[in-house]
């Protein structure tokens, strides 16, 4: 074949080699003039057995040789007996094999395709085809035609193939009306389509900028965005300001639009003093549900004080420890109450207290479960407590992806443990409660039966949860449940400058940086480049031997992502320094990131379907499951370009194979933000000290970063930057109201 001269090919689709469902890019084979031709292009819809006519040109691929690059194309219905027979024999229509295809064509000849579309009942004239089957064949033909038409229609609005498939699956033939009249329904009904995508589609559909559909969709979008920043609700005046800023229009009657949304059960409006508070309905009902369950769990048990003292004394002797009075009080309260909160900073004996509670319950013959928000935290708790701790997700037994609410929006996660199938245990201890948001707390409490003791442990001074809500602080602020505050810093911890200075930071006391310390170090550098150069030396040459840990166990924590010393820039530099390119070391470029075998990476979104396994040193799988979560870190062990897969071994020994199209879920993790480090502990942390946005550079964030270090914290940069952070108490106000919901229910219960 003279490739340069060929500008047109046609033929039956023999085989689809590859298809990207996001953008429709497809590689497939056809037979043209007796030769197999590989075609590439962006196609709205295609399946094996179809006849395609395409214009374009041949291009030379460095690996796969000559390919026909499609510029324009059309699908043609088979118009003669031979073509129809080939089409039907391809498997394009389910239920028709080669023999039946031959029988159909022998009966109807060149008129076969018209008969199938216009008079399908006549197919029943053929032996082996019932009227039902005949109508099913006709329906399949019609569906293929309708799908293709719909896909090409949605292409006009700039909708990707992946989203187009979701949209068509949801709406079918109603898609034409919806896109022309109210595209904002897509943002409500379909996961992956937010307001901004719907707004772009609406603009192309000619929807007016002051349309009621647009304004109501904008309101709901702002509330959902606020939830992403930790808010459960927004005051009406702030909500109105944000919506107008988003839509870039002025409009009146904000309250009437909100009332419409309330009637549709999308929002809830509550009066608080002279302000109206507007909730996305799902979050209001989550807070109410959590409050109700917490009050139900708040049961008192009669216990003999002397017997409790004796039991505690036995445990002290067995563990060779000595509890102070507040720790003993914490243990007693967990015995006497169905719900207890234990809070305290580093070095105040939370782990010792937890261990004592575990041993006490075990002595009483009670079953106890331990839970943490993250895999790394669960692993650490297992080591310190001598029994298995699980992530909350694993404790609740994930059964799949997010559930949909009544509007089709994904909010909650599907767990096998719930009201109908509660956890079968006597007590549950949940650590690192500051990380738990209202959604996961709601799921957890659904699975805790009344009569099960629930002990919540955490440090209220750490950064709040990434998700919506302020669960731990609100539970304490309600004043309705037993709370034990551990404040004494124990002798061993008091010898640690990390612990001492963490408490000083928290209390607003001055921290001296120029004295010698074995575990709290400050390296003075001024410019970003000087800071990063010093960090490179510390991570690779100084700290590993100093703290007895591997390079990948030392974690750089930075306040921000995009600054001169942010995680994005640091990761690129650290990768080249710690894991440079090497012959035989495979790489995969994805967007602006190069992934390399040996790289340290982090999962940056929850994926409940991703499968994992754990293997013995002999390669035998001994455990398997699904679910990889935001914040999980691991090492790339293999990049297989042929299989288009990347293998990551996580810190807790889980092995996950990622398809290349999943790599958006991963990022390099030599440096991570402080927010991403919550719930984790590292042998050593390195923190760049360089000015950044005031809202980020605050005391709360500095305290959290310092308390992530187990053996050594090393700050590199400007002293003034450190002192400014330590003195900056401004942190973004979180709008949450779990404490109010608890008080409402508590008062009602006690009024009866």
């Amino acid at each position: 074949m003279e490739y340069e001269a060929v500008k047109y090919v046609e033929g039956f689709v023999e085989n689809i080699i590859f298809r990207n469902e996001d953008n429709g890019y497809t590689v497939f084979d056809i037979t043209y003039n007796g030769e197999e031709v590989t075609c590439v292009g962006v196609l709205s819809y295609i399946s094996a057995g179809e006849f395609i006519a395409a214009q374009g040109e041949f291009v030379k691929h460095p690996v796969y040789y000559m390919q026909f690059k499609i510029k324009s194309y059309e699908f043609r219905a088979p118009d003669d007996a031979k073509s129809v027979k080939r089409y039907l024999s391809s498997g394009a229509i389910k239920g028709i094999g080669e023999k039946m295809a031959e029988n159909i064509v022998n009966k109807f000849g060149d008129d076969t395709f018209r008969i199938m579309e216009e008079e399908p009942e006549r197919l029943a004239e053929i032996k082996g085809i019932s009227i039902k089957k005949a109508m099913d064949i006709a329906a399949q033909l019609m569906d293929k035609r309708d799908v293709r038409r719909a896909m090409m229609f949605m292409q006009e609005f700039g909708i990707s193939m992946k989203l187009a498939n979701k949209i068509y699956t949801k709406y079918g033939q109603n898609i034409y009306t919806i896109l022309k009249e109210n595209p904002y329904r897509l943002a409500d009904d379909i996961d992956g389509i937010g307001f901004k995508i719907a707004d772009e589609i609406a603009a192309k559909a000619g929807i007016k900028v002051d349309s009621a559909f647009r304004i109501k969709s904008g309101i709901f979008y702002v509330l959902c965005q606020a939830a992403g920043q930790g808010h459960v609700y927004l005051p009406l005046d702030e909500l109105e300001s944000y919506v107008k800023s988003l839509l870039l229009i002025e409009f009146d009657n904000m309250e009437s639009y909100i009332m419409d949304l309330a009637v549709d059960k999308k929002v809830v409006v509550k009066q608080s003093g002279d302000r109206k508070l507007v909730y996305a309905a799902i979050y209001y009902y989550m807070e109410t549900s959590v409050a109700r369950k917490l009050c139900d769990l708040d049961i008192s048990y009669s216990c003999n004080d002397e017997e409790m003292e004796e039991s505690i004394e036995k445990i002290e002797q067995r563990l060779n420890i000595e509890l102070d009075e507040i720790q003993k009080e914490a243990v007693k309260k967990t015995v006497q109450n169905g719900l207890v909160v234990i809070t305290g900073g580093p070095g105040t004996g939370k782990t010792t207290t937890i261990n004592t509670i575990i041993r006490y319950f075990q002595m009483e013959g009670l079953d106890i479960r331990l839970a943490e928000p993250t895999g790394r935290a669960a692993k650490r708790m297992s080591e310190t407590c001598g029994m298995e701790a699980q992530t909350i997700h694993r404790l609740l037994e994930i059964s799949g992806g997010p559930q949909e609410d009544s509007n089709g929006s994904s909010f909650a996660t599907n767990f096998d443990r719930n009201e109908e199938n509660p956890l079968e245990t006597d007590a549950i201890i949940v650590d690192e409660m500051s990380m738990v948001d209202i959604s996961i707390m709601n799921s957890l409490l659904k699975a805790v039966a009344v009569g099960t003791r629930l002990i919540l442990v955490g440090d209220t001074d750490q950064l709040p949860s990434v998700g919506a809500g302020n669960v731990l602080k609100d539970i304490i602020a309600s004043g309705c449940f037993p709370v034990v505050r551990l404040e004494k810093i124990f002798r061993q911890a008091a010898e640690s400058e990390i612990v001492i200075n963490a408490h000083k930071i928290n209390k607003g006391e001055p921290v001296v940086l120029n004295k010698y310390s074995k575990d709290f170090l400050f390296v003075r550098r001024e410019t970003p480049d000087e800071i990063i150069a010093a960090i490179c030396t510390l991570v690779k040459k100084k700290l590993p031997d100093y703290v007895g840990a591997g390079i990948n166990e030392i974690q750089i924590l930075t306040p921000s992502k995009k600054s001169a010393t942010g995680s994005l820039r640091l990761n690129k530099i650290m990768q080249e320094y710690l894991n440079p390119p090497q012959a035989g070391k495979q790489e995969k470029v994805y967007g602006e990131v190069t992934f390399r075998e040996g790289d340290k990476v982090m999962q940056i979104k929850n994926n409940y379907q991703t499968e994992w396994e754990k293997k013995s040193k002999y390669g035998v799988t001994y455990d398997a499951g699904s679910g990889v979560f935001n914040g999980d870190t691991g090492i790339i062990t293999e990049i297989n370009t042929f299989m288009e897969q990347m293998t990551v071994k996580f810190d807790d020994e889980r092995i996950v194979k990622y398809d290349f199209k999943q790599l958006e879920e991963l990022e390099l993790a030599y440096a991570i933000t402080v927010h991403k480090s919550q719930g984790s502990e590292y042998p050593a942390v390195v923190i760049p000290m360089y000015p950044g946005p005031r809202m980020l550079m605050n005391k709360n964030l500095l305290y959290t970063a310092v308390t992530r270090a187990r053996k050594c914290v090393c700050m590199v940069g400007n002293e003034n930057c450190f002192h400014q952070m330590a003195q900056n108490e401004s942190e973004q106000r979180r709008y949450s109201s779990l404490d109010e919901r608890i008080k409402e229910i508590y008062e009602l219960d006690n009024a009866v």
Side-chain angles (χ1 to χ4, degrees):
M1 186 184 298
E2 294 183 10
Y3 294 107
E4 292 80 7
V6 179
K7 305 296 180 185
Y8 173 91
V9 298
E10 62 178 28
F12 290 94
V13 178
E14 304 280 359
N15 176 39
I16 296 175
I17 300 167
F18 172 79
R19 181 165 173 83
N20 184 327
E21 294 299 339
D22 284 329
N23 56 22
Y25 180 80
T26 311
V27 183
F28 60 97
D29 290 333
I30 67 169
T31 300
Y32 175 63
N33 287 345
E35 290 190 38
E36 189 175 88
V37 175
T38 299
C39 301
V40 298
V42 176
L43 286 79
S44 60
Y45 183 85
I46 191 171
S47 62
E50 295 186 295
F51 190 91
I52 188 172
Q55 291 182 324
E57 61 182 357
F58 275 96
V59 294
K60 191 172 182 179
H61 191 278
V63 178
Y64 304 111
Y65 195 51
M66 300 304 292
Q67 296 179 334
F68 189 78
K69 189 175 181 181
I70 297 172
K71 291 181 179 178
S72 62
Y73 66 95
E74 63 175 340
F75 293 101
R76 292 182 185 166
D79 55 4
D80 61 64
K82 186 179 177 183
S83 298
V84 174
K85 182 181 174 182
R86 181 167 184 148
Y87 175 72
L88 294 177
S89 300
S90 71
I93 304 295
K94 290 177 183 175
I96 298 182
E98 204 167 325
K99 184 65 179 172
M100 188 171 285
E102 188 176 348
N103 292 341
I104 294 171
V105 173
N106 287 344
K107 174 75 176 175
F108 299 113
D110 291 349
D111 206 27
T112 299
F113 214 75
R114 187 196 65 77
I115 295 282
M116 292 171 73
E117 286 192 320
E118 298 175 13
E119 303 175 69
E121 66 279 359
R122 289 188 60 191
L123 293 172
E125 298 172 18
I126 295 165
K127 187 179 178 181
I129 299 181
S130 63
I131 282 288
K132 185 181 176 188
K133 188 166 183 175
M135 301 316 290
D136 178 61
I137 290 168
Q140 286 189 59
L141 275 177
M142 191 175 292
D143 190 50
K144 282 180 176 291
R145 185 190 65 204
D146 290 346
V147 169
R148 183 176 294 116
R149 180 169 161 252
M151 293 295 172
M152 297 192 79
F153 174 73
M154 283 187 276
Q155 253 189 334
E156 295 172 17
F157 294 89
I159 299 171
S160 74
M161 290 300 106
K162 189 175 182 178
L163 288 181
N165 279 317
K166 280 189 178 181
I167 294 167
Y168 188 79
T169 302
K170 180 79 176 176
Y171 301 123
Q173 290 300 294
N174 292 326
I175 185 61
Y176 304 101
T177 305
I178 289 167
L179 284 184
K180 287 176 179 176
E181 293 181 2
N182 181 19
Y184 295 99
R185 274 190 62 182
L186 274 61
D188 296 343
D189 295 348
I190 298 173
D191 189 34
I193 298 183
F195 172 80
K196 291 190 174 179
I197 293 175
D199 204 33
E200 288 174 11
I201 296 168
K204 290 175 181 173
I207 305 293
K208 291 182 178 178
V209 293
D210 60 352
S211 150
F213 293 133
R214 184 170 186 255
I215 292 170
K216 287 191 285 188
S217 185
I219 291 168
F220 194 68
Y221 172 77
V222 167
L223 286 173
C224 291
Q225 288 295 107
Q229 294 165 5
H231 305 299
V232 173
Y233 67 84
L234 285 177
L236 178 59
D237 53 343
E238 287 189 37
L239 174 61
E240 184 170 1
S241 173
Y242 288 138
V243 171
K244 287 180 176 179
S245 176
L246 170 73
L247 302 181
L248 298 173
I249 58 168
E250 286 293 325
F251 59 90
D252 299 320
N253 304 320
M254 177 75 173
E255 290 195 46
S256 69
Y257 294 117
I258 288 173
M259 287 304 108
D260 286 348
L261 288 166
V263 170
D264 293 338
K265 298 183 177 177
K266 285 187 174 179
V267 305
V268 171
V269 182
K270 293 284 288 184
Q271 192 75 37
S272 177
D274 58 349
R275 295 184 94 185
K276 282 192 170 96
L277 314 178
V278 186
Y279 300 74
I282 187 73
Y283 291 111
Y284 175 80
Y285 292 118
M286 277 183 187
E287 281 200 336
T288 304
S289 172
V290 166
R292 177 69 272 167
K293 287 290 292 182
L294 288 170
C295 289
D296 289 346
L297 291 171
D298 185 31
I299 298 171
S300 296
Y301 299 91
S302 59
C303 305
N304 184 292
D305 201 60
E306 284 184 17
E307 287 178 1
M308 285 194 292
E309 285 281 358
E310 285 174 14
S311 295
I312 292 170
E313 194 174 323
K314 284 179 185 175
I315 296 166
E316 286 180 309
Q317 289 171 359
R318 191 181 302 167
L319 298 179
N320 193 27
I321 58 172
E322 187 177 340
L323 303 181
D324 72 356
E325 288 307 309
I326 298 176
Q327 288 176 304
K328 288 179 182 178
E329 182 196 347
V331 178
K332 289 176 183 178
K333 282 193 181 298
T334 63
V335 178
Q336 296 165 328
N337 297 277
L339 175 65
V340 176
V341 178
I342 300 171
T343 183
T348 56
K350 291 195 297 292
T351 301
T352 303
T353 305
I354 290 171
N355 270 326
T356 307
I357 294 166
I358 293 169
R359 306 297 178 266
Y360 193 109
F361 285 177
Q362 288 174 338
M363 281 173 59
E364 296 294 314
L366 301 178
D367 182 71
I368 188 164
R369 306 286 290 274
L370 310 180
E372 292 271 6
T374 68
R376 182 181 276 271
K379 186 180 178 184
R380 190 179 77 244
M381 194 181 198
S382 298
E383 291 166 353
T384 56
C385 296
M387 65 177 290
E388 185 191 12
Q390 296 172 290
T391 63
I392 298 172
H393 289 87
R394 201 153 188 217
L395 178 74
L396 298 178
E397 299 173 18
I398 298 167
S399 60
Q403 293 174 331
E404 290 188 343
D405 68 6
S406 58
N407 298 310
S409 299
S410 299
F411 283 99
T413 305
N414 232 348
F415 295 109
D416 282 343
R417 294 292 183 175
N418 48 41
E419 300 99 323
E420 287 77 37
N421 183 30
L423 291 160
E424 296 167 3
T425 187
D426 299 303
I428 301 168
I429 298 177
V430 185
D431 194 19
E432 296 286 355
M433 268 297 301
S434 62
M435 292 184 66
V436 177
D437 62 30
I438 193 67
S439 177
I440 195 68
M441 191 64 180
N442 186 44
S443 296
L444 173 66
L445 291 176
K446 283 180 180 179
V448 181
V450 174
T452 302
R453 288 176 169 84
L454 182 64
I455 300 115
L456 307 176
V457 185
D459 182 354
T460 55
D461 294 313
Q462 286 189 27
L463 290 170
S465 61
V466 174
N470 220 352
V471 175
L472 181 61
K473 280 187 177 178
D474 280 359
I475 291 172
I476 294 171
S478 73
C480 296
F481 309 120
V483 176
V484 181
R485 291 178 170 83
L486 303 176
E487 294 176 342
K488 180 184 173 182
I489 301 174
F490 286 86
R491 183 181 59 77
Q492 191 175 354
E495 294 171 2
S496 164
E497 293 280 339
I498 296 172
V499 172
I500 293 167
N501 288 326
H503 283 277
K504 283 182 176 179
I505 291 166
N506 198 31
K507 293 174 182 176
E509 298 172 3
V511 176
V512 180
L513 298 177
N514 59 4
K515 72 171 188 176
Y516 174 77
S517 170
K518 66 178 187 304
D519 58 5
F520 193 88
L521 314 174
F522 199 97
V523 179
R524 289 157 187 79
R525 297 291 187 273
E526 291 301 323
T527 69
D529 288 351
E530 288 171 347
I531 291 168
I532 293 171
I535 288 174
C536 287
T537 303
L538 283 163
V539 172
K540 188 173 182 177
K541 297 179 180 178
K542 303 288 187 182
L543 287 173
D545 287 341
Y546 188 68
V547 297
I551 289 173
N552 285 324
E553 294 179 274
I554 294 162
Q555 188 61 61
I556 302 167
L557 302 180
T558 177
S560 63
K561 198 169 181 177
K562 295 182 178 179
S563 68
T565 56
S567 61
L568 289 177
R569 186 177 183 222
L570 275 164
N571 272 318
K572 281 187 178 180
I573 295 169
M574 297 308 296
Q575 182 191 45
E576 292 305 302
Y577 189 68
L578 299 176
N579 189 32
Q582 194 176 315
K585 191 179 282 186
Q586 295 295 320
E587 297 181 354
K588 170 62 184 174
V589 178
Y590 188 85
E592 295 182 5
V593 181
T594 299
F595 293 105
R596 189 173 296 137
E597 288 175 348
D599 274 338
K600 184 178 178 180
V601 291
M602 173 179 278
Q603 177 82 11
I604 57 171
K605 63 183 285 189
N606 291 337
N607 188 323
Y608 304 95
Q609 277 80 36
T610 296
E611 294 181 349
W612 55 262
E613 58 183 0
K614 293 184 180 181
K615 292 187 175 182
S616 70
K617 62 180 180 179
Y618 304 108
V620 178
T621 300
Y622 66 88
D623 194 9
S626 63
V628 191
F629 305 107
N630 187 4
D632 289 349
T633 57
I635 304 294
I636 299 172
T637 56
E638 184 186 14
I639 296 175
N640 190 322
T641 53
F642 178 75
M643 297 293 292
E644 296 192 334
Q645 282 186 332
M646 190 163 87
T647 304
V648 177
K649 187 174 185 179
F650 286 97
D651 292 339
D652 58 0
E653 306 300 316
R654 286 172 303 156
I655 297 168
V656 175
K657 292 186 184 295
Y658 290 85
D659 292 332
F660 282 175
K661 62 184 178 184
Q662 288 179 273
L663 296 186
E664 65 182 16
E665 297 180 13
L666 291 169
E667 64 181 28
L668 295 175
Y670 298 102
I672 62 175
T673 62
V674 178
H675 283 86
K676 290 284 189 185
S677 74
Q678 286 176 266
S680 296
E681 232 182 40
Y682 311 92
V685 300
V686 182
I687 309 167
M689 283 287 137
Y690 191 75
R694 181 171 168 78
M695 286 303 295
L696 278 178
M697 309 295 286
N698 59 42
K699 181 179 82 173
N700 199 215
L701 187 134
L702 181 61
Y703 172 79
T704 303
V706 167
T707 54
R708 298 308 89 204
R710 199 160 54 243
K711 294 181 180 179
C712 180
V713 60
C714 186
M715 283 162 285
V716 185
N718 186 288
E719 282 190 44
N720 288 334
C721 180
F722 173 89
H723 294 305
Q724 284 168 7
M725 283 186 78
Q727 292 162 17
N728 179 14
E729 297 194 11
S730 68
E731 56 180 301
Q732 189 178 1
R733 163 82 193 276
R734 255 194 195 202
Y735 292 120
S736 65
S737 53
L738 177 60
D739 53 341
E740 294 301 319
R741 301 287 83 78
I742 291 170
K743 282 188 264 190
E744 288 171 1
I745 293 170
Y746 193 85
E747 286 167 10
L748 280 170
D749 287 353
N750 285 283
V752 175

